[in-house]
Structures are given as structure tokens and as C-alpha cells.
Amino acid sequence: MNKFYLGLRVFLVLACLCFVSFPVDAAVKRYQFDIQVKNVSRLCHAKPIVTVNGMFPGPTIYVREGDRVLVNVTNHAKYNMSIHWHGLKQYRNGWADGRAYITQCPIQTGNSYVYDFNVTEQRGTLWWHAHILWLRATVYGAIVVMPKQGTPFPFPKPDREEVILLGEWWNADVEVVESQGNSLGLPPNMSDAHTINGKPGPLFPCSEKHTFAMEVEQGKAYLLRLLNSALNDELFFAIADHNMTVVEIDAVYTKPFSTQAILIAPGPFSDAPIPIDNKTATAILQYKGIPDTLIPKLPLLPAKNDSSFALNYEKNLKSLNSPQYPANVPLKVDRNLFFTIGLGKNSCPSCLNGTRLTASLNNITFVMPQMGLLQAHYYNMKGVFTTDFPEKPPTPFNYTGAPLTANLGTSKGTRLSRISFNSTVELVLQDTNLLTVESHPFHLHGYNFFVVGTGIGNFDPAKDPSRYNLVDPPERNTVGVPTGGWTAIRFRADNPGVWFLHCHLELHTGWGLKTAFVVEDGPGPDQKVLPPPNDLPPC
């Protein structure tokens, strides 16, 4: 049986297939992104969606390490827009990070903004997406960063490569879905399908034109660049009767290891009471010369709540830590932070139950400002934010003990943490059983960090650090905090600016599960935030 389904379930990965050519010696890559509405049909339903250049998913950005990239984004849609270049470090250049009301005001209808950034000391697969409202449901695409010219991969050269973007589809208008949930104070309706390269596959209706297929030849090696663009689901990905070798995560090479399935964030396991889309999207891996009439075989995926697989998979992820690609893990820590992750209920007289579900870090629900925090920091504006975010929870408790369901109100505020330039930071993210335990993929803008430890239950500062991996921990920009557990990360604060830290579940981010670090300027002229560009969008 040489025809197989590519399987995807519970954890979302979205694929975009777009090839462009460019001169091998080019140092500046220019792209035009037109934000426009286009009618698209899936699952026998047609509706207008927001796209880039009329494509769903959007175009792939191809660059080499060391290139400068200029992307002119022109907004023709009715929604204000910003584009985040997920995982790119944007050294001193938060103006190009693209998070609305954190590093910029959004691009208003009819206006344009040029994202101008350099790609340095990164190579591999990243992605871009809208970072305002729930618009990244359809506005997203891949970033492929090739090594510098003449620098080979640290693994056998593949015969071919393919970008695989995993995503979601709603039959309804996703912005209406979000607003309905907010007005009720409850989680919004889940998606109607998962997608692979924007296509749900033959397990869904009207799939004749909406199935992604990839032709392969026996004996050849294929590099799959996998990305998860789902709003609220983590996903398992597998290929029937095939193993895969993991060689890179978050544009950082890893020690290769073989696996039958991979786990790719963002999103919660379904052992939480919040509804998720548990439908399997499929694509076809077609061996050359095999008749199309052969019925494909489905892969065996882990169970939707297989926490054991998830934890073991994460333990296998390790940095390459070679002389060419070292793992520079901070061994001395200047600043220890401990953030608890929780759900809460705040009063909402107009909501269905008289309360609104909220989310918090250290019991603080983050309030988005009405202007860019980076602008407020750069110009030293008063009254936009404070830098008194607590370094630990205000009241310690048994974080993962019996569920706490009473007195779950949170405080609100635009409260940030101020970090000294070049200091080393350890941050422990602790899940809690406020209403329920749940897994959370946390993303830090502007930085990579090392995942030095993780565990189930309450973090023990007396015992757990002795079990840290300080030799070859995985280097990431997004990390999963396990259900009812904790994760410890370390990084050096050598990138000045205001950098967003948030759960990458769009649902939880909207509920306030976010904050930001204000990293101070350094003493040198090349250690300060760059001046804002002239075309920075106004609020």
C-alpha cells in the first residue's frame, strides 16, 4: 500500500504551498502584501474572508540568513490590520514586530506600512500572521529562511522540500464568532474543520477540489516544513506507515530523532472543558506510479488527550549544541520570575451567567492600551502603562491541587515587567487549577529562549532546578506549559524594546492571558531601540 493520508488531529498545523524564485546573491527581498477580501468556499459553504494577495493561506516569504526584508502591507479590508513575523528576533527593531497596540498601531483601511527587518543568526522555518482580533484565522503564511550561501544543512540534503501549514476553517464569519462569545462571556464556537494547506481533505463534504496531495518517489528524502496556524488547537501530525526525523524547531537546528507523530502548538489538550475542534484533516501522500484508484491508508494518531506522548515528545527535543551551532544557555541568573496561569470570572451583568470568563498571569488580566506600548516607552509617555507587574503571585497556594471555583475575580491593568539590558532571566510558568488545569503554548516576541525544565504538579524551587538541562535544552520562541504542570525558560535580555509575552491560544489572549517585558537600552550606540520609521501607522 503506497498511498497514504497525511493525518492531523487535535493539534493544528497549517500548510501553504507557494514557490518563488530569487537571485542567489540577492541581499534585499521585497514583497507586496495586499490585504483584501475574497470569496472562498470550503465544506460546501462560501463566504468572504480576509486574505493576503487573494491567497488562503497567504504567500511564503523566502529569504537567506543575513538578508534584509521589506514587506509593503496595504490594507484594502474593512478591518484594521497588523502583521507579526513570528519568531524573527527583530533586534532593536520592535517597530517591525507587528503586534497591534504593543509595538505599533494597526494599519488602518486604505493605508500602507513597510515592515523593514533583517534576518540574522536564524535559519529554518518560521511564519507570519495577522496579530489583531482573530484575523489570523485566514491571514497567515510561511517564512523559509535558508542558510547562508555555501553553508549546508547539518543533516543529509533532502531531495525535495514542502511547506505544510495547518489551520482551521469556520463556516461562519470568525469575527462574528469571537464577538458572540465575548458578548455571552463564554468560549466562542469551535472551528468546523482543520485544514492542511488550507484544505480539509476527503473526510469532509465538497472536498473534491479541497484536498492537498503531494507526489513522492520511493527511496527519496523529503523535508517537510511544518507550521501550526490554528487559533486554538494544538495538533498531532503523522504519515501512515512512515516515521519522521525531527531536525529543526523554531528556526533552530536540533539533535535529530525519529518519531511516528509530532506535536505542534498552539492549543489546549481536550482534557479541558473548553471545546476544541476534534476533527481530523487529511491530505494524500501519493507515490509516483501508484494508481489514483487505490484507497489511501489513514495514520494512527495519538489520542486527543495523550499527555504522556506530548511530554515524551517534548523531552526528545534538544539543541544541536555543536561548535558551529552552540547552545549558549545562561548558567547564572540575574532575575527570577514566577508567573501563575489561571482562569477567572469577572462580573458582567450583560453576559449569559452574569460573569465573563477571563484569564490572568499572577492574577492580573492584561488590559490592551489604545496606542503602541513601544511608542509610549520610546517617547517616555506617562499614563499608558506601569512597570509594576509582580515577580511572583500575590498569594501563594496549592496551584495544581483541588479545583478552586470560588472568589476567582482578577485585577485588571496594563502592567509590565522592566528588565535591565543584558541581564539573564529565568521565568517559571506555572499552570493552576483555577476552574481547571489546561495546557498553554506561550510565545515571547523578540527573543529565543532555552527550555531548561518542565514537570507536572507544582514547581519546587528547592528541588526542580537541580534537574534542569543546562547543556543542550531546546531553543524556542514558543513553549507549551503542560496541563497541571510548569515550564522553566531562560534567556538573556539583550534586545531592547517592549516585547509581548502571551498564550498563543487566541481565545486566552483575548481573555487577558498576556503581558510584556520592557527591556531597557544598553550603554552602547548599537544597544538602543532604533528610531521609529516615518511611515509608522498612527492610532
Side-chain angles (χ1 to χ4, degrees):
M1 183 80 67
N2 287 325
K3 186 177 180 184
F4 303 95
Y5 279 125
L6 300 173
L8 160 65
R9 184 178 69 193
V10 183
F11 303 89
L12 183 56
V13 181
L14 192 56
C16 165
L17 176 58
C18 312
F19 289 102
V20 298
S21 61
F22 49 83
V24 295
D25 58 348
V28 178
K29 306 293 168 55
R30 300 177 186 272
Y31 288 84
Q32 174 65 39
F33 276 20
D34 287 309
I35 310 299
Q36 54 194 211
V37 174
K38 180 183 180 181
N39 283 323
V40 172
S41 177
R42 297 290 189 273
L43 309 186
C44 311
H45 289 261
K47 68 170 185 176
I49 65 171
V50 182
T51 70
V52 170
N53 300 346
M55 300 169 65
F56 171 62
T60 298
I61 297 283
Y62 285 91
V63 298
R64 284 196 180 274
E65 180 186 355
D67 284 350
R68 180 184 177 190
V69 183
L70 292 94
V71 185
N72 183 54
V73 178
T74 302
N75 187 7
H76 303 283
K78 66 178 181 179
Y79 300 102
N80 290 342
M81 177 60 64
S82 71
I83 301 291
H84 171 50
W85 314 95
H86 184 111
L88 286 170
K89 297 178 184 177
Q90 307 287 15
Y91 184 67
R92 303 170 56 211
N93 188 28
W95 313 111
D97 186 57
R99 198 335 173 171
Y101 301 110
I102 301 294
T103 54
Q104 68 167 96
C105 297
I107 306 166
Q108 298 177 16
T109 303
N111 292 350
S112 298
Y113 177 48
V114 176
Y115 290 93
D116 183 350
F117 54 88
N118 296 317
V119 182
T120 57
E121 297 181 358
Q122 293 180 280
R123 72 292 300 173
T125 310
L126 298 169
W127 63 302
W128 58 264
H129 59 81
H131 215 322
I132 183 171
L133 305 173
W134 276 27
L135 293 176
R136 76 174 172 92
T138 57
V139 180
Y140 60 83
I143 304 172
V144 174
V145 183
M146 297 297 294
K148 290 181 178 179
Q149 196 69 264
T151 302
F153 295 130
F155 49 84
K157 183 180 179 181
D159 295 291
R160 182 182 150 201
E161 58 182 72
E162 195 85 60
V163 174
I164 304 289
L165 281 161
L166 308 178
E168 288 165 297
W169 173 263
W170 276 263
N171 288 331
D173 185 322
V174 68
E175 293 304 314
V176 173
V177 170
E178 181 197 14
S179 63
Q180 287 175 341
N182 288 337
S183 64
L184 295 173
L186 298 173
N189 292 337
M190 64 185 180
S191 57
D192 294 288
H194 288 130
T195 58
I196 298 176
N197 288 352
K199 301 176 179 181
L203 300 186
F204 292 89
C206 298
S207 62
E208 293 81 7
K209 297 186 299 181
H210 302 139
T211 298
F212 175 72
M214 175 181 172
E215 186 177 75
V216 297
E217 296 183 49
Q218 189 171 0
K220 291 191 174 182
Y222 295 86
L223 177 64
L224 301 181
R225 298 182 178 271
L226 287 158
L227 294 157
N228 180 0
S229 306
L231 291 185
N232 295 310
D233 293 341
E234 287 177 308
L235 298 163
F236 290 121
F237 177 90
I239 305 174
D241 290 356
H242 286 66
N243 285 340
M244 296 171 286
T245 301
V246 178
V247 294
E248 174 254 318
I249 50 171
D250 293 359
V252 179
Y253 295 131
T254 64
K255 287 183 171 66
F257 71 92
S258 179
T259 182
Q260 291 183 328
I262 71 165
L263 166 63
I264 187 162
F269 287 100
S270 61
D271 54 4
I274 293 174
I276 64 168
D277 183 353
N278 188 32
K279 306 177 191 72
T280 301
T282 53
I284 294 175
L285 194 70
Q286 172 75 54
Y287 272 80
K288 189 174 182 179
I290 299 299
D292 290 340
T293 54
L294 193 66
I295 298 175
K297 183 178 180 180
L298 285 168
L300 295 175
L301 292 166
K304 62 183 181 180
N305 59 350
D306 193 341
S307 297
S308 176
F309 175 90
L311 290 171
N312 288 330
Y313 177 82
E314 296 291 342
K315 287 179 181 178
N316 283 323
L317 294 173
K318 295 181 180 180
S319 292
L320 198 58
N321 195 22
S322 66
Q324 187 175 5
Y325 304 106
N328 297 314
V329 188
L331 301 180
K332 175 182 172 293
V333 175
D334 300 317
R335 187 88 174 270
N336 283 281
L337 304 175
F338 185 83
F339 292 177
T340 54
I341 305 164
L343 297 177
K345 291 182 178 180
N346 287 347
S347 176
C348 176
S350 64
C351 293
L352 185 64
N353 298 319
T355 58
R356 180 188 302 280
L357 285 172
T358 60
S360 65
L361 287 170
N362 283 353
N363 207 46
I364 297 170
T365 296
F366 190 83
V367 176
M368 291 295 287
Q370 297 302 306
M371 67 170 301
L373 293 178
L374 181 58
Q375 289 168 282
H377 167 63
Y378 186 83
Y379 292 110
N380 198 27
M381 298 178 181
K382 305 301 181 184
V384 179
F385 65 88
T386 61
T387 56
D388 60 347
F389 191 91
E391 298 194 356
K392 58 185 179 181
T395 305
F397 60 99
N398 183 4
Y399 305 116
T400 56
L404 300 177
T405 59
N407 301 321
L408 292 179
T410 66
S411 62
K412 297 180 179 180
T414 311
R415 300 170 65 179
L416 282 57
S417 297
R418 185 175 295 277
I419 307 292
S420 299
F421 179 81
N422 211 37
S423 61
T424 54
V425 179
E426 177 175 308
L427 168 61
V428 175
L429 291 162
Q430 172 74 61
D431 187 34
T432 67
N433 204 0
L434 297 174
L435 289 184
T436 181
V437 290
E438 197 170 353
S439 67
H440 300 271
F442 263 81
H443 174 47
L444 176 59
H445 291 221
Y447 286 92
N448 279 1
F449 50 74
F450 291 97
V451 185
V452 295
T454 190
I456 300 299
N458 295 339
F459 175 74
D460 186 339
K463 297 180 180 179
D464 287 327
S466 65
R467 293 188 284 266
Y468 283 175
N469 177 4
L470 300 178
V471 177
D472 58 357
E475 184 179 345
R476 312 215 61 173
N477 62 60
T478 305
V479 64
V481 180
T483 303
W486 57 271
T487 294
I489 66 173
R490 287 187 181 182
F491 64 95
R492 180 175 295 278
D494 56 2
N495 189 5
V498 178
W499 302 108
F500 202 32
L501 172 71
H502 64 104
C503 178
H504 218 275
L505 291 176
E506 213 60 49
L507 177 65
H508 289 172
T509 298
W511 286 353
L513 192 51
K514 53 199 173 189
T515 185
F517 293 124
V518 180
V519 179
E520 297 174 338
D521 284 347
D526 60 347
Q527 297 173 338
K528 303 180 187 303
V529 176
L530 293 170
N534 292 331
D535 64 338
L536 188 70
C539 282

